[in-house]
Amino acid sequence: MGADTGTGTGTNADADADTSTGTDVDADTAPSAGAAKAAAVLRGAGVVVTGAGGGIGAALARRFAAEGARVVVNDLDADRAKAVAAEIGAVAVPGDASAVVDEARAALGGTVDVWCANAGLSSPGDAFADEDVWAAAWDVNVMAHVRAARALLPEWLERGSGRFVSTVSAAGLLTMIGAAPYSVSKHGAYAFAEWLSLTYRHRGLSVHAICPQGVRTDMLTAAGSAGELVLAPTAIEPEDVADALIDAVGADRFLVLPHPEVAGYYRNRATDPERWLDTMNHVQRTWETGSRQP
């Protein structure tokens, strides 16, 4: 499982698109204030970041370590996990993100305070993608989160505290052209994070759904011409995603939007779906025309 790029789009050519930040990005919560509150929450906390051998996951691991957390770096690639862990003074626990909860918990002395479900598959393709592509996307992008929650929730609910971070992508709120398995499974990841929050927030569980658009990682490069069209122009650095999460932790905010304009796209999708679909279909047709060029 590689680290998730956070791809996804609601970008359009419509000058009337609402790009205001919406209620989930509170202008009254300054990043510095959020960061200060997050530091108090994270200092000494036991944090696990899956898919942390590079990209967003590595940036999250580095930022958590900088905040004074005790960090476990997980990645399917053992060498990359060990390299990031060595860099930040963390512990590497390589392997499938679905199966490392017990080992990661032991590495942290028996308690996980924060679980970052960041490992993901980009999974391009259309409705005719092979069954195994669909199955892998669902397994990594959704079921790995479910399995981690099953293992962590009993302890968290018993003690009345815990924090689950899901790297969803803007594709989970909107969609991504040329990537049906990715888009559908990321909608599932967002739905599960939302369900966790509404079900357990009164019992001390904090949940954060990170939904960036393009992030400058290897997976963005692998997105090819679709990524170049809709994601690259506004792509940000992985460290920007980490900054946005730290601010959300300080504010205890569920929805994390490293690209604030996504709030406007999401609102347009909900309030005027026909117009939004027409606009996205225009993007699709632009991509199809461009992809046929020599």
Side-chain angles (χ1 to χ4, degrees):
M1 301 177 192
D4 202 302
T5 62
T7 56
T9 184
T11 136
N12 55 58
D14 187 349
D16 294 328
D18 182 359
T19 58
S20 62
T21 57
T23 58
D24 288 301
V25 183
D26 189 347
D28 294 331
T29 305
S32 57
K37 293 177 183 178
V41 171
L42 297 172
R43 190 175 299 112
V47 179
V48 180
V49 185
T50 69
I56 293 174
L60 294 177
R62 292 184 183 105
R63 185 59 187 272
F64 280 121
E67 297 292 337
R70 298 172 295 113
V71 180
V72 164
V73 176
N74 161 262
D75 199 272
L76 199 57
D77 186 320
D79 290 339
R80 296 183 72 181
K82 292 174 183 176
V84 173
E87 173 195 335
I88 64 175
V91 178
V93 178
D96 189 321
S98 291
V100 298
V101 174
D102 289 343
E103 188 177 354
R105 183 188 283 121
L108 291 169
T111 302
V112 174
D113 299 299
V114 182
W115 184 274
C116 295
N118 173 76
L121 289 178
S122 58
S123 305
D126 56 18
F128 298 98
D130 290 344
E131 289 282 328
D132 59 350
V133 173
W134 282 95
W138 191 257
D139 190 68
V140 175
N141 295 342
V142 181
M143 292 309 300
H145 299 200
V146 175
R147 294 181 190 115
R150 284 176 184 161
L152 294 162
L153 279 171
E155 177 189 350
W156 285 351
L157 296 178
E158 181 178 357
R159 77 183 192 201
S161 66
R163 194 172 297 271
F164 193 94
V165 179
S166 176
T167 302
V168 174
S169 161
L173 297 175
L174 305 166
T175 194
M176 178 59 193
I177 63 171
Y182 180 79
S183 297
V184 172
S185 59
K186 286 299 184 177
H187 274 260
Y190 181 80
F192 183 63
E194 187 176 61
W195 184 89
L196 284 176
S197 183
L198 69 88
T199 302
Y200 298 117
R201 59 172 47 201
H202 67 292
R203 298 181 63 182
L205 180 64
S206 295
V207 182
H208 306 283
I210 311 175
C211 299
Q213 292 197 112
V215 181
R216 296 188 185 100
T217 67
D218 292 342
M219 289 177 69
L220 176 57
T221 302
S225 58
E228 188 66 27
L229 175 65
V230 301
L231 302 173
T234 59
I236 59 177
E237 298 298 331
E239 291 75 17
D240 296 322
V241 179
D243 288 344
L245 174 61
I246 293 302
D247 187 50
V249 168
D252 206 19
R253 185 190 310 118
F254 170 75
L255 187 56
V256 185
L257 298 179
H259 292 81
E261 62 269 25
V262 169
Y265 301 148
Y266 189 41
R267 185 182 302 109
N268 290 344
R269 175 178 176 267
T271 58
D272 195 349
E274 293 302 324
R275 184 183 182 196
W276 184 80
L277 286 166
D278 281 344
T279 301
M280 290 308 300
N281 179 252
H282 173 75
V283 175
Q284 171 73 23
R285 286 181 283 128
T286 299
W287 176 57
E288 289 177 0
T289 299
S291 66
R292 287 196 294 266
Q293 299 302 313

